[in-house]
Amino acid sequence: MSVDISGWTMPNRVRVIDSHTGGEPTRTVIDDFLPLGTGSLAERCERFRREFDPVRSALVCEPRGSDVLVGALLVPPSDPSCVAGVIFFNNVSTLGMCGHGTIGVGVTLGHLGRIRAGTHRLETPVGIVPFDYDGANTVTLSNVPSYRLAANVAVDVMGLGLVRGDIAWGGNWFFLVREHPETLDLSQIDRLTDVTWRIRQALWAARITGANGAEIDHIELFGPPGSPENQSRNFVLCPGKAYDRSPCGTGTSAKVACLAADGKLKPGELWRQESILGSVFTASYQTDGERVLPVISGQAFVTGETTLIFDAGDPFREGIRA
Ligand code: PYC
């Protein structure tokens, strides 16, 4: 049976596997039902963003999902050496890359029996991401080349005054703030969300951007770790105003790019990044000219095997769209 989603006819049942990586959920869409064509992953991601936005919201927004859910649409790879292509998306749009999502997809492919323990490659809109899967819950991914674009950039933030941070690319654009008066504790989520949202708005208002005018849509605060085994704790605000429950794979990549640029982390040295929940990603890097190649390791767990149903009579079948 089929259903109309904003003038496009799609199956009324779509199978997904839900997982979480360090507390951050991923919904991997395993049915390949969208006519995205055969171009590069970047082209197909752009087509998904432009032409199928109501399908995005139907898959991850309320009432079938929530603001915190990240979707991972599995598509055929254009590079046959890859085990799959993937388009990541969230409650507001698509994502270039997603570290926790890659870990979730790796464990999901293992759960489905599509991969065994070993090294595999995933094609994303921002490049090919090789990963090692341990056959159970751990995935170690080699992220796309990451770099710091600018250090110690000042922005005037309403109610906060001047806030200084680094601008870095880790597969998404980040503003990384080390010096701030905030307490990185779960009890402070509302305050941390408000502060980071204001920083994001101030950056855009001042036209402080990533390369080529790209909006910096992830804001990251750092503080002391809760556990002495770890080097740092973070709070990461994602583009749709949800905070990352995991330490954020692309955010941790941006962090190691900054640490490398400051000479504070040597190639191959380990950095244990703790999330606001206390979950941990282990990170290191190798140099690649002016950039670094981050290696991020984390654990994911499958939480559900679900068939989503889109009823033609359901007024919210396209999800609750902001
Ligand atoms: O782990 O890279 C990540 C990520 C980006 C947004 C949410 N998680």
Short mmCIF file of all heavy atoms in Angstrom, two decimals, residues 24 70 95 97-101 172 218 238 244 246 248-251 281, ligand 1:
data_model
loop_
_atom_site.label_atom_id
_atom_site.label_comp_id
_atom_site.label_asym_id
_atom_site.label_seq_id
_atom_site.Cartn_x
_atom_site.Cartn_y
_atom_site.Cartn_z
N GLU A 24 22.90 8.92 22.46
CA GLU A 24 22.34 9.70 21.35
C GLU A 24 21.72 8.75 20.32
O GLU A 24 22.40 7.86 19.79
CB GLU A 24 23.45 10.54 20.71
CG GLU A 24 23.04 11.38 19.53
CD GLU A 24 22.32 12.69 19.89
OE1 GLU A 24 21.97 12.90 21.08
OE2 GLU A 24 22.11 13.50 18.98
N VAL A 70 18.43 11.29 15.23
CA VAL A 70 19.15 11.49 13.96
C VAL A 70 18.82 10.32 13.05
O VAL A 70 18.91 9.15 13.46
CB VAL A 70 20.67 11.61 14.19
CG1 VAL A 70 21.44 11.53 12.87
CG2 VAL A 70 20.99 12.93 14.89
N LEU A 95 22.51 16.40 7.52
CA LEU A 95 23.82 16.64 8.14
C LEU A 95 24.89 16.16 7.17
O LEU A 95 24.68 15.14 6.49
CB LEU A 95 23.97 15.82 9.42
CG LEU A 95 23.28 16.28 10.69
CD1 LEU A 95 23.22 15.11 11.68
CD2 LEU A 95 24.02 17.45 11.31
N MET A 97 27.94 14.95 7.93
CA MET A 97 28.50 13.73 8.48
C MET A 97 27.99 13.60 9.91
O MET A 97 27.54 14.61 10.50
CB MET A 97 30.03 13.86 8.40
CG MET A 97 30.92 12.81 9.01
SD MET A 97 30.43 11.12 8.79
CE MET A 97 31.38 10.38 10.11
N CYS A 98 28.03 12.43 10.46
CA CYS A 98 27.59 12.25 11.85
C CYS A 98 28.39 11.10 12.46
O CYS A 98 28.29 9.96 11.99
CB CYS A 98 26.10 11.95 11.88
SG CYS A 98 25.48 11.81 13.55
N GLY A 99 29.18 11.42 13.48
CA GLY A 99 30.04 10.41 14.09
C GLY A 99 29.24 9.39 14.88
O GLY A 99 29.41 8.18 14.68
N HIS A 100 28.36 9.88 15.75
CA HIS A 100 27.60 8.90 16.55
C HIS A 100 26.72 8.07 15.63
O HIS A 100 26.50 6.88 15.86
CB HIS A 100 26.77 9.61 17.65
CG HIS A 100 25.36 9.89 17.24
ND1 HIS A 100 24.95 11.08 16.69
CD2 HIS A 100 24.26 9.10 17.26
CE1 HIS A 100 23.66 11.02 16.41
NE2 HIS A 100 23.22 9.84 16.75
N GLY A 101 26.22 8.73 14.55
CA GLY A 101 25.37 8.03 13.59
C GLY A 101 26.14 6.95 12.85
O GLY A 101 25.61 5.86 12.59
N ASN A 172 31.10 18.70 10.13
CA ASN A 172 30.11 19.77 10.32
C ASN A 172 30.89 20.96 10.86
O ASN A 172 32.03 20.80 11.33
CB ASN A 172 29.03 19.36 11.33
CG ASN A 172 28.17 18.21 10.84
OD1 ASN A 172 27.48 18.32 9.84
ND2 ASN A 172 28.20 17.09 11.56
N HIS A 218 26.76 24.08 14.87
CA HIS A 218 26.99 23.27 16.09
C HIS A 218 27.85 24.12 17.04
O HIS A 218 28.91 24.61 16.64
CB HIS A 218 27.75 22.00 15.78
CG HIS A 218 26.97 20.99 14.99
ND1 HIS A 218 26.72 21.15 13.64
CD2 HIS A 218 26.40 19.81 15.35
CE1 HIS A 218 26.03 20.10 13.21
NE2 HIS A 218 25.82 19.27 14.23
N CYS A 238 23.09 20.94 18.81
CA CYS A 238 22.95 20.53 17.41
C CYS A 238 22.07 21.55 16.66
O CYS A 238 21.41 22.39 17.29
CB CYS A 238 22.33 19.13 17.37
SG CYS A 238 23.41 17.89 18.10
N ASP A 244 23.42 17.12 22.01
CA ASP A 244 23.93 15.79 21.71
C ASP A 244 24.15 15.03 23.02
O ASP A 244 24.88 15.49 23.90
CB ASP A 244 25.25 15.91 20.94
CG ASP A 244 25.61 14.62 20.23
OD1 ASP A 244 25.25 13.54 20.74
OD2 ASP A 244 26.26 14.71 19.18
N SER A 246 25.60 12.19 23.14
CA SER A 246 26.93 11.58 23.01
C SER A 246 27.98 12.69 23.01
O SER A 246 27.64 13.87 22.96
CB SER A 246 27.01 10.78 21.71
OG SER A 246 27.35 11.62 20.61
N CYS A 248 29.63 13.54 20.59
CA CYS A 248 29.58 14.10 19.23
C CYS A 248 30.85 13.74 18.46
O CYS A 248 31.92 14.32 18.72
CB CYS A 248 29.36 15.61 19.25
SG CYS A 248 28.95 16.26 17.59
N GLY A 249 30.71 12.85 17.51
CA GLY A 249 31.87 12.40 16.75
C GLY A 249 32.50 13.51 15.91
O GLY A 249 33.73 13.65 15.88
N THR A 250 31.66 14.28 15.22
CA THR A 250 32.22 15.37 14.40
C THR A 250 32.73 16.48 15.30
O THR A 250 33.74 17.13 14.98
CB THR A 250 31.18 15.89 13.39
OG1 THR A 250 29.96 16.19 14.08
CG2 THR A 250 30.91 14.87 12.29
N GLY A 251 32.08 16.69 16.45
CA GLY A 251 32.54 17.71 17.40
C GLY A 251 33.86 17.32 18.05
O GLY A 251 34.74 18.16 18.29
N PHE A 281 33.76 9.01 23.97
CA PHE A 281 34.39 8.63 22.70
C PHE A 281 35.89 8.76 22.91
O PHE A 281 36.36 9.75 23.50
CB PHE A 281 33.99 9.56 21.56
CG PHE A 281 32.59 9.37 21.02
CD1 PHE A 281 32.05 10.30 20.14
CD2 PHE A 281 31.81 8.28 21.37
CE1 PHE A 281 30.77 10.15 19.63
CE2 PHE A 281 30.52 8.11 20.87
CZ PHE A 281 30.00 9.05 19.99
O1 PYC B 1 28.19 12.52 16.47
O2 PYC B 1 28.89 13.79 14.81
C1 PYC B 1 28.04 13.46 15.65
C2 PYC B 1 26.77 14.21 15.70
C3 PYC B 1 26.44 15.31 14.97
C4 PYC B 1 25.15 15.66 15.38
C5 PYC B 1 24.74 14.77 16.33
N1 PYC B 1 25.76 13.89 16.53
#
